[in-house]
Amino acid sequence: METPNNYVFIHGKNISHNTLAGSAVGPHMSIDKLFPALLECFGIILCGYIAGRTDMITESQAKGLGNFVSKFALPALLFKNMVVLDFGDVIWAFLWSVLVAKVTVFVLVCVLTLMMASPDNRYSKAGLYAIFATQSNDFALGYPIVDALYRSTYPEYLQYIYLVAPVSLMLLNPIGFALCEVQSWRQASHLQHNSLGILGIVVLQVLKNPIVFMVIVGIISHFALGERIPSVLSEFIDGLANSFGGTALFYLGLTMVGQLRKLTRDTGVALILLITAKLLVMPLVCKDMVDILDVGVNSTSPNHTSLSNFAFLYGVFPTAPSVAIYAGHYNMELEVVKKNQTFFFVFSLFFFFFFF
Amino acid sequence: METPNNYVFIHGKNISHNTLAGSAVGPHMSIDKLFPALLECFGIILCGYIAGRTDMITESQAKGLGNFVSKFALPALLFKNMVVLDFGDVIWAFLWSVLVAKVTVFVLVCVLTLMMASPDNRYSKAGLYAIFATQSNDFALGYPIVDALYRSTYPEYLQYIYLVAPVSLMLLNPIGFALCEVQSWRQASHLQHNSLGILGIVVLQVLKNPIVFMVIVGIISHFALGERIPSVLSEFIDGLANSFGGTALFYLGLTMVGQLRKLTRDTGVALILLITAKLLVMPLVCKDMVDILDVGVNSTSPNHTSLSNFAFLYGVFPTAPSVAIYAGHYNMELEVVKKNQTFFFVFSLFFFFFFF
């Protein structure tokens, strides 16, 4: 196994555009914390996978864990972090960069799928694939990794996770959902449904998403409560929020059971397209956009290099399991999305090890 | 609602044997942290109860959460804490006190049940009731409360939870199980089974308990690893251990669904006996034993008062849900145990508010 120093070196050579990066990465990202962080994430995911594989926790029981994570632990975590978020600390160029990168990849995947797919399901395919290529698993996987890597050097990077997640959920996913709805109505030939109906359903679905809902509630509370959680509530919120990390990773492992076996069959254009988009285009566009947009006082400091590396890292995070849930909702392409997701996860892993 | 100061006053008046206590309690136990701590515990339990009641998480899905808590999160928490435990800090008189108190209550309940119960199931009743009266819900409920109350003043009190729990699990529960096994063989009239067979089954059952197993593994690792967890593993263990508190409380709430309605029916001798034993005898014996046994250099300091109050608090903790699982295993008295448990929980709550 290579030593942490080698990883820094490879990392510096491959993804840094200027010579500063190679030498600057060491002190800014705690590379010595990367292995414990990866062991935490993949160890707990493996525990979940084993528990699911040995039927210690059945598929129906796993849903209980999923409900706890998505409806209690994650909303508490989001609420807590939106309330205490320091907007003064935020480098907005970073958010713009990720937004531009996500929109680019979304449009690219959408247009390519519309051109290449068969006419009978091209809209829903385009919508789901585009969502798949842009929505990262920000909380279950991204949060613990960023926390472990930057806790001691740039703790403020963690807040970008909370700020970036709603971009996908509130802006891009709705467009994808709208494409799926268009498809369902085309197939059912319900001509009485107009575009206003589609819009209503999409908006309702977005607001019903607990992540979007809690981010909005959190931002309102941020101003109402004066940037701090009342001390009487803080233990309650913390109690739920602290249980998020471990439980979410474990659940991620559980949801992967039965999917690894299917990997060898039926790859194809969709798989290659999606993996290219998510794992190569997305991180590079994220990083380059930070290099282009972050031109203020910050641009020459080592802080800038660190931020642009963070943007690359963010781009690599695999897709969230919720995309498979959306796909199931539209009775569409569930297999391809699920298969891709697991393949993808494994691929990300190798990719991750290669670069870091 | 009364102010925190009133609680200190009532607390001082009621459970402290010397005048020092009333004035000394304030600075030693952070009473201002009690309300957030209680809100954390009972708020998360309420969330779990609501989730179960509204069928957001069904009874079968709840088992998945239970398995995660008991087979992954709790073992990780125990392992971590046994490895870093500082045996030099432990006041052994406290452990002896709790042990004597538990044995007293166990024998008392056992003998009374054997005298009063009908002959056809007196052994299993005696075993289960005695377990019920002595085993506290140390981890799901006791741990967060003790953590919140003593974190800033006596953080070392938390370790007594880890040390006391195995006393019940390894010493008293096996005797209770042995009584249950005696009952099953009496009823089945399998005369070929001898006492060696009973012993073997009981020992196997004790070792299969994940709490006992991890405490033993943890103590071995404590000496093997030199009182610290290897840094490469620490994030992994922490990730699982941190998710324990919130998830366990939530699961506790889920398991209470459907039991509160049954409370009004069928109380009786068993209920009164058990509640008296657990909520009145147990805390007072715990406290008095600390007063008697802790006679060293420590006995005149305010530290002593604080320790004896902690012993009382420990005695009040309600019974763990696992007792209902044992009862189910022996197809016996499940209803009485389950009913008692919830009644008991509510009763403890009032009791708790009354004293603190």
Side-chain angles (χ1 to χ4, degrees), chain B residues 185-300:
Chain B
W185 280 318
R186 281 204 163 216
Q187 278 171 340
S189 304
H190 285 166
L191 295 170
Q192 71 273 29
H193 286 287
N194 52 15
S195 52
L196 209 71
I198 295 182
L199 194 75
I201 285 194
V202 169
V203 169
L204 194 73
Q205 201 172 25
V206 170
L207 288 179
K208 266 170 67 186
N209 183 312
I211 299 182
V212 174
F213 182 76
M214 282 317 289
V215 166
I216 295 174
V217 170
I219 290 180
I220 294 169
S221 313
H222 174 87
F223 296 105
L225 300 173
E227 304 192 19
R228 52 179 287 277
I229 292 172
S231 61
V232 74
L233 268 179
S234 69
E235 300 275 338
F236 171 65
I237 303 278
D238 279 352
L240 280 176
N242 290 343
S243 66
F244 175 76
T247 324
L249 289 169
F250 189 85
Y251 178 65
L252 195 64
L254 273 176
T255 57
M256 288 167 73
V257 174
Q259 290 174 41
L260 280 171
R261 270 169 297 177
K262 298 179 200 152
L263 279 185
T264 45
R265 288 188 270 139
D266 183 29
T267 50
V269 181
L271 194 63
I272 294 164
L273 183 76
L274 288 178
I275 286 170
T276 313
K278 181 78 185 80
L279 282 185
L280 292 176
V281 181
M282 186 77 175
L284 289 174
V285 178
C286 275
K287 188 179 158 57
D288 286 337
M289 285 312 299
V290 168
D291 290 336
I292 294 167
L293 288 178
D294 189 22
V295 290
V297 283
N298 193 30
S299 62
T300 51

Side-chain angles (χ1 to χ4, degrees), chain A residues 36 39-40 43-44 47 51 56-57 60-61 63-65 67-68 72 151 231-232 235-236 239 242-243 246-247 250, chain B residues 36 39-40 43-44 51 56-57 60-61 63-65 67-68 71-72 151 231-232 235-236 239 242-243 246-247 250:
Chain A
L39 189 72
E40 175 187 355
I44 297 178
C47 283
M56 196 186 288
I57 295 177
S60 107
Q61 291 179 354
K63 279 180 197 146
L65 208 62
N67 280 338
F68 169 70
F72 292 91
R151 193 187 294 142
S231 61
V232 74
E235 299 274 338
F236 170 66
N242 290 344
S243 66
T247 325
F250 189 86
Chain B
L39 189 72
E40 175 187 354
I44 297 177
M56 196 186 286
I57 295 176
S60 108
Q61 291 179 354
K63 279 180 196 146
L65 208 61
N67 280 337
F68 169 70
K71 291 176 183 161
F72 293 91
R151 194 187 293 140
S231 61
V232 74
E235 300 275 338
F236 171 65
N242 290 343
S243 66
T247 324
F250 189 85

Side-chain angles (χ1 to χ4, degrees), chain B residues 317-331:
Chain B
F317 289 155
T319 304
S322 51
V323 178
I325 299 170
Y326 305 148
H329 183 77
Y330 291 104
N331 295 317

Side-chain angles (χ1 to χ4, degrees), chain B residues 72-101:
Chain B
F72 293 91
L74 182 57
L77 183 75
L78 285 170
F79 178 78
K80 176 187 158 192
N81 283 284
M82 293 316 291
V83 169
V84 301
L85 187 68
D86 186 355
F87 283 104
D89 253 5
V90 176
I91 299 172
W92 294 101
F94 179 83
L95 285 186
W96 284 114
S97 308
V98 173
L99 181 61
V100 170

Side-chain angles (χ1 to χ4, degrees), chain A residues 141-159:
Chain A
L141 196 68
Y143 181 85
I145 291 183
V146 173
D147 181 42
L149 282 177
Y150 292 103
R151 193 187 294 142
S152 54
T153 50
Y154 292 100
E156 71 274 15
Y157 283 7
L158 214 50
Q159 69 197 7

Side-chain angles (χ1 to χ4, degrees), chain A residues 218-228:
Chain A
I219 290 181
I220 294 170
S221 313
H222 174 87
F223 296 105
L225 299 174
E227 303 193 19
R228 52 180 287 277

Side-chain angles (χ1 to χ4, degrees), chain B residues 106 110 114 123-124 126-127 174-184 198:
Chain B
F106 192 92
C110 222
L114 282 177
Y123 289 102
S124 53
I175 300 173
F177 292 143
L179 284 168
C180 292
E181 293 290 339
V182 167
Q183 184 76 59
S184 343
I198 295 182

